[in-house]
Amino acid sequence: MATGMSRDLPAADKPRKDKGSVLAARLARLGIVRDVDLALHLPLRYEDYTTRVPLAQLHAGMSVCAEGVVTASEVRYRPRRQWVCAIESDDEKGIGAALTLRFFTFYPNQQKALTLGARVRVFGEVREGHFGLEMVHPKFMVLSAANQREIPREAPRDVSLPNRLTPIYPTTAGLSQEVLTKQIARVLQHEAVLRDDLPEAVCRQEDLWDWSRALRFLHAPPPQLSEEEQITLSAHTHPAWQRIKFDELLAQQLSLKRHKAARASRRAEALKPRGVLTEALLQRLPFALTMAQQRVWKEISDDLARTMPMHRLLQGDVGSGKTVVAALAALRAVENGRQAALMAPTEILAEQHYNKLSAWLEGLPVRLVWLTGALTSAQHKKTLAMLADGEPAFAIGTHALFQKEVAMPNLALAIVDEQHRFGVTQRLALRDKAASAEEVHQLMMSATPIPRTLAMSFYADLDVSVIDTLPPGRTPVTTRLVNQTRRAEIIAHVGRRCAEGAQAYWVCPLIEESEKLSLQAAQTLYEELMATFDGSHETADGAPLPKLNVGLLHGRMKPADKTAMMEAFVRGDIHILVATTVIEVGVDVPNASIMVIEHAERFGLAQLHQLRGRVGRGSRQSQCILLFETPLGALAKARLKVIFENNDGFEIARQDLRIRGPGELLGARQSGVPLLRFADPERDEALLERASRVADRLLKTKEGETAAVKLIDRWLGDKAEFFKA
């Protein structure tokens, strides 16, 4: 990366390894390897040095530029080591007005610069301190030293106030704002950087600023901006920002749509409906498919019957019935003489799938293959041989399915459950198991609903199917928020319900006690509940607590022990299962009707929704009790409010996107793919809609295709390849 940067450095810098290569390496840490990357390294914010506010007019909350003379400078050690300076006004109208400057990290050259009598200009946020107004770690410029003849070398010679806002850029160690500003100013002279890759007609139709005008405006806002322009600049709603965000969204849309179109030229095995195994499964299921499941199955069935590789995302809320649709798709491959594979992120979920499918397919001529890291050496070897022979089979497993030693030469369909938990390379490794030159159909499933704007922005290369209704018989889950101070009441409540025949999950965020985090550890809670429900204890009001069986489940247990514990819980031998988030997805125990989550404020919304979905699968009225510790931070309050007020997974996902942004909702799908840097799918939904429409128009013409290639290269470079996964 550093080598690539050196090409763009001034000619004089190229042979100077001590300067050019060091600068290139520092820029590369910011993802800057080309001139265009520098041009797109846009300011985080702007600071206003254009106006000097007299010290006498300062008040807390202002972010201002001020000047004064240093009247005190000392290092103090209480309550911690810090350097404290005082500056006073020498303005006739404000004599005696003072401001304290406080530094907790500082260097000798800084102390030398701010000597007594030096006149300085400072910029920062004013706050109320113990001894009046102060600034903590302000930026400062020495205007003149104490004796007027000795100005420190670091002090700028031009002490006049700037006439425009000063951009502040994201930076890294060893790379100053001054160096970044100079490098950016240099590349903004290059025609290639300023070239507008968007056809002029599109700019007119979409009422967009010229590209070079937008770039120059953001890097160097003109003098005397109006208050409204300054507000829109800070809020990223100014027309200059709109042009930048539009191009970013457009480049992403073009990349995704081109990859989707390219699939049409590739070939996969057409898996025609044979009506043998699929119809047999439908006849023996103990339930009828919902209308939503039928619609989704038709969409997938039609895809599989084509020679174009299927690349479909199946979304459905917790408990909506995605597994049966996946089973039908796998049987379509098997009845066509091919192999299918279903990969799940955890052994518990993979085994749940295997057990459920084994029951559904019992007696049918289907070879069901089970592959996880928990198999013995002999079992593993036998399973690999079964898959390598190419005979029709339905393989179910974990990450073990895409290991190098696994061969599935006849693979026609790869199904990935909870796809956001897997990386791009992992899914590609499973898809590439097939020995033929034909592509493998791909079905990705997610119980973490993706908001429409996020699907448009990051999943435009996929066809999306949604199971938008739950099967009949699912009872609504009531959600309660309970302070940890009332834990004893909840323990008594859970005990009464379990004594009446219910079962409960009790989820903790840790396995063992931690000194750093005062969270309820699973091991500690297990021991506490074992002792509490041994038949010899009473509640605070004297009511006897029942004798109950308590189990423990966590990720560090041996696979056989985890399986045995889950089987005991399914049978009803265990009343309360203390667990970590290992039970987050897929676990299905109809009699479990209580979910207690310790320290719910520490969990994300998607996790809370998934955990809540483990109950409400039977006829009992179900509850999810969220125990929280006070005081709550703003984000924790927002999350708990959303989960308390909503049961709809799509609405929860939309709120999650609003609170945290797209990163965690996208999960590992985007490994290596840049998230949007400037645009926000939710906030810029209208801009995203426009970019999607323009992308469709551009890709229909030769001129538009040329523009698309240039836009994609400018914004994504070689990272566009990751969208193929």
Side-chain angles (χ1 to χ4, degrees):
M1 294 175 75
T3 304
M5 187 63 225
S6 67
R7 293 198 306 270
D8 294 330
L9 292 171
D13 286 343
K14 286 183 180 178
R16 298 181 60 184
K17 185 177 180 181
D18 60 327
K19 181 179 179 181
S21 61
V22 171
L23 174 59
R26 289 171 180 168
L27 290 170
R29 291 205 296 266
L30 296 171
I32 299 172
V33 295
R34 307 173 296 168
D35 279 352
V36 71
D37 298 330
L38 266 169
L40 290 174
H41 193 69
L42 298 176
L44 278 172
R45 65 183 187 280
Y46 301 89
E47 293 181 346
D48 188 357
Y49 302 143
T50 62
T51 305
R52 179 176 64 86
V53 178
L55 295 183
Q57 296 178 18
L58 298 183
H59 58 79
M62 300 174 74
S63 290
V64 295
C65 177
E67 290 180 13
V69 175
V70 178
T71 57
S73 177
E74 65 174 320
V75 176
R76 299 176 183 172
Y77 292 90
R78 291 185 181 180
R80 53 181 285 197
R81 184 175 182 267
Q82 55 188 290
W83 171 37
V84 180
C85 294
I87 62 172
E88 288 189 8
S89 173
D90 58 357
D91 188 320
E92 290 182 3
K93 296 181 180 180
I95 292 291
L99 178 69
T100 300
L101 313 180
R102 194 179 301 277
F103 302 86
F104 294 103
T105 57
F106 50 90
Y107 300 96
N109 64 327
Q110 292 175 311
Q111 291 178 274
K112 184 178 179 181
L114 293 188
T115 55
L116 296 179
R119 181 174 180 78
V120 296
R121 180 179 297 156
V122 297
F123 181 88
E125 182 179 349
V126 181
R127 72 178 198 180
E128 198 70 55
H130 292 298
F131 304 103
L133 297 178
E134 67 178 20
M135 285 183 180
V136 177
H137 282 282
K139 296 179 181 178
F140 67 86
M141 173 193 298
V142 179
L143 304 179
S144 63
N147 59 15
Q148 294 294 325
R149 290 175 300 178
E150 184 187 337
I151 298 178
R153 290 174 58 194
E154 294 81 2
R157 297 298 174 183
D158 180 10
V159 297
S160 61
L161 291 168
N163 66 350
R164 64 184 73 210
L165 297 177
T166 300
I168 304 299
Y169 296 99
T171 190
T172 187
L175 193 59
S176 68
Q177 291 290 325
E178 184 180 5
V179 169
L180 265 175
T181 301
K182 286 181 178 178
Q183 290 295 318
I184 290 168
R186 173 181 63 79
V187 301
L188 289 180
Q189 306 303 314
H190 296 185
E191 184 180 342
V193 167
L194 298 176
R195 181 191 67 238
D196 200 333
D197 293 327
L198 202 57
E200 188 177 343
V202 174
C203 291
R204 285 198 309 270
Q205 290 166 1
E206 298 297 325
D207 191 25
L208 296 170
W209 270 30
D210 176 76
W211 176 253
S212 61
R213 180 189 179 193
L215 270 184
R216 284 176 167 146
F217 187 98
L218 293 175
H219 285 297
Q224 299 175 337
L225 285 180
S226 67
E227 185 177 351
E228 181 182 355
E229 283 183 300
Q230 290 192 44
I231 291 171
T232 57
L233 193 60
S234 297
H236 288 202
T237 57
H238 190 279
W241 273 118
Q242 294 294 93
R243 175 59 203 269
I244 298 295
K245 292 193 287 187
F246 180 85
D247 276 34
E248 180 181 37
L249 289 166
L250 179 59
Q252 187 194 54
Q253 290 294 299
L254 287 167
S255 181
L256 290 165
K257 290 174 187 285
R258 288 178 83 231
H259 285 313
K260 185 174 183 179
R263 285 209 319 275
S265 64
R266 302 199 295 269
R267 181 180 173 80
E269 173 75 12
L271 304 175
K272 300 293 183 181
R274 307 294 178 190
V276 181
L277 297 175
T278 50
E279 288 302 319
L281 174 60
L282 290 172
Q283 293 297 322
R284 59 171 45 206
L285 286 173
F287 53 84
L289 296 188
T290 63
M291 293 297 291
Q293 287 171 319
Q294 292 177 43
R295 183 190 70 250
V296 165
W297 167 231
K298 184 179 186 308
E299 292 168 354
I300 294 169
S301 175
D302 291 346
D303 277 359
L304 293 174
R306 300 188 185 104
T307 56
M308 187 178 85
M310 178 175 73
H311 206 57
R312 186 169 287 275
L313 173 65
L314 172 57
Q315 290 192 88
D317 209 343
V318 178
S320 62
K322 297 180 296 297
T323 305
V324 69
V325 176
L328 289 167
L331 293 183
R332 171 67 63 81
V334 174
E335 66 186 14
N336 275 271
R338 302 297 296 268
Q339 294 173 317
L342 189 160
M343 182 168 67
T346 66
E347 288 202 6
I348 284 184
L349 179 52
E351 188 163 2
Q352 182 99 10
H353 283 318
Y354 180 74
N355 292 335
K356 183 179 288 186
L357 290 165
S358 295
W360 286 349
L361 303 178
E362 187 178 0
L364 293 180
V366 179
R367 196 163 62 149
L368 207 59
V369 180
W370 168 240
L371 183 63
T372 72
L375 297 179
T376 65
S377 178
Q379 291 172 326
H380 190 70
K381 188 175 180 180
K382 180 181 178 182
T383 302
L384 292 184
M386 289 173 64
L387 292 173
D389 66 16
E391 289 296 310
F394 182 9
I396 301 167
T398 57
H399 302 70
L401 282 170
F402 60 75
Q403 301 306 313
K404 284 185 179 180
E405 66 270 21
V406 179
M408 285 180 276
N410 207 13
L411 183 67
L413 172 65
I415 304 169
V416 181
D417 196 11
E418 292 300 313
Q419 59 85 32
H420 64 287
R421 304 274 286 269
F422 293 97
V424 170
T425 52
Q426 292 173 323
R427 290 195 305 280
L428 288 176
L430 177 60
R431 185 193 71 181
D432 294 342
K433 289 296 176 187
S436 70
E438 292 177 333
E439 289 265 334
V440 172
H441 294 289
Q442 293 184 74
L443 177 62
M444 289 161 280
M445 303 196 296
S446 178
T448 302
I450 299 162
R452 191 185 73 89
T453 52
L454 209 60
M456 279 186 66
S457 183
F458 289 95
Y459 292 87
D461 58 331
L462 305 182
D463 297 304
V464 180
S465 294
V466 180
I467 302 178
D468 51 12
T469 58
L470 294 177
R474 291 294 302 265
T475 57
V477 179
T478 59
T479 303
R480 293 175 57 190
L481 294 174
V482 181
N483 195 299
Q484 280 278 3
T485 56
R486 298 174 57 199
R487 256 181 106 253
E489 296 175 37
I490 297 304
I491 290 175
H493 170 73
V494 171
R496 285 194 300 271
R497 290 284 301 273
C498 289
E500 294 166 0
Q503 286 176 279
Y505 296 101
W506 203 304
V507 177
C508 296
L510 294 176
I511 298 171
E512 296 169 350
E513 199 66 62
S514 165
E515 294 179 2
K516 294 183 179 179
L517 296 174
S518 58
L519 308 183
Q520 187 69 42
Q523 183 68 41
T524 304
L525 176 63
Y526 167 68
E527 293 167 1
E528 176 192 346
L529 294 182
M530 282 274 288
T532 302
F533 293 113
D534 65 357
S536 64
H537 287 73
E538 298 178 343
T539 63
D541 58 4
L545 286 169
K547 180 175 174 57
L548 301 174
N549 294 328
V550 182
L552 177 63
L553 182 70
H554 58 73
R556 293 186 194 171
M557 293 169 65
K558 294 179 180 178
D561 293 338
K562 284 192 283 189
T563 299
M565 183 58 67
M566 277 309 303
E567 287 176 350
F569 191 57
V570 171
R571 288 194 307 269
D573 297 342
I574 300 293
H575 299 101
I576 302 173
L577 182 63
V578 176
T580 58
T581 53
V582 71
I583 56 99
E584 178 185 339
V585 292
V587 179
D588 187 3
V589 182
N591 192 51
S593 57
I594 305 170
M595 169 66 68
V596 183
I597 303 176
E598 292 271 358
H599 293 280
E601 74 276 6
R602 300 290 182 121
F603 291 85
L605 271 173
Q607 269 192 318
L608 291 173
H609 183 57
Q610 286 276 10
L611 289 167
R612 182 170 61 183
R614 296 308 109 218
V615 295
R617 292 168 174 258
S619 57
R620 290 180 181 273
Q621 175 61 53
S622 296
Q623 285 184 325
C624 179
I625 301 169
L626 305 177
L627 289 170
F628 64 89
E629 190 84 56
T630 53
L632 288 173
L635 278 179
K637 281 182 182 176
R639 285 197 299 266
L640 293 180
K641 183 175 187 292
V642 169
I643 201 72
F644 176 71
E645 293 178 349
N646 296 280
N647 278 301
D648 181 352
F650 283 92
E651 177 59 23
I652 290 169
R654 193 184 71 79
Q655 296 285 352
D656 206 9
L657 176 63
R658 181 183 61 80
I659 293 171
R660 291 185 302 169
E664 292 190 37
L665 281 175
L666 289 170
R669 175 180 199 266
Q670 298 303 124
S671 295
V673 180
L675 297 178
L676 293 168
R677 293 161 57 191
F678 307 117
D680 179 281
E682 191 80 0
R683 190 175 59 236
D684 299 312
E685 181 177 359
L687 212 55
L688 173 59
E689 301 266 10
R690 289 166 59 194
S692 181
R693 290 196 300 269
V694 170
D696 289 332
R697 292 206 307 269
L698 286 177
L699 294 176
K700 290 177 181 177
T701 67
K702 187 174 181 180
E703 180 194 12
E705 182 68 35
T706 301
V709 171
K710 291 177 180 178
L711 279 162
I712 291 169
D713 180 64
R714 168 172 279 173
W715 283 96
L716 301 177
D718 57 4
K719 292 185 177 68
E721 293 300 304
F722 283 91
F723 284 112
K724 291 181 180 178

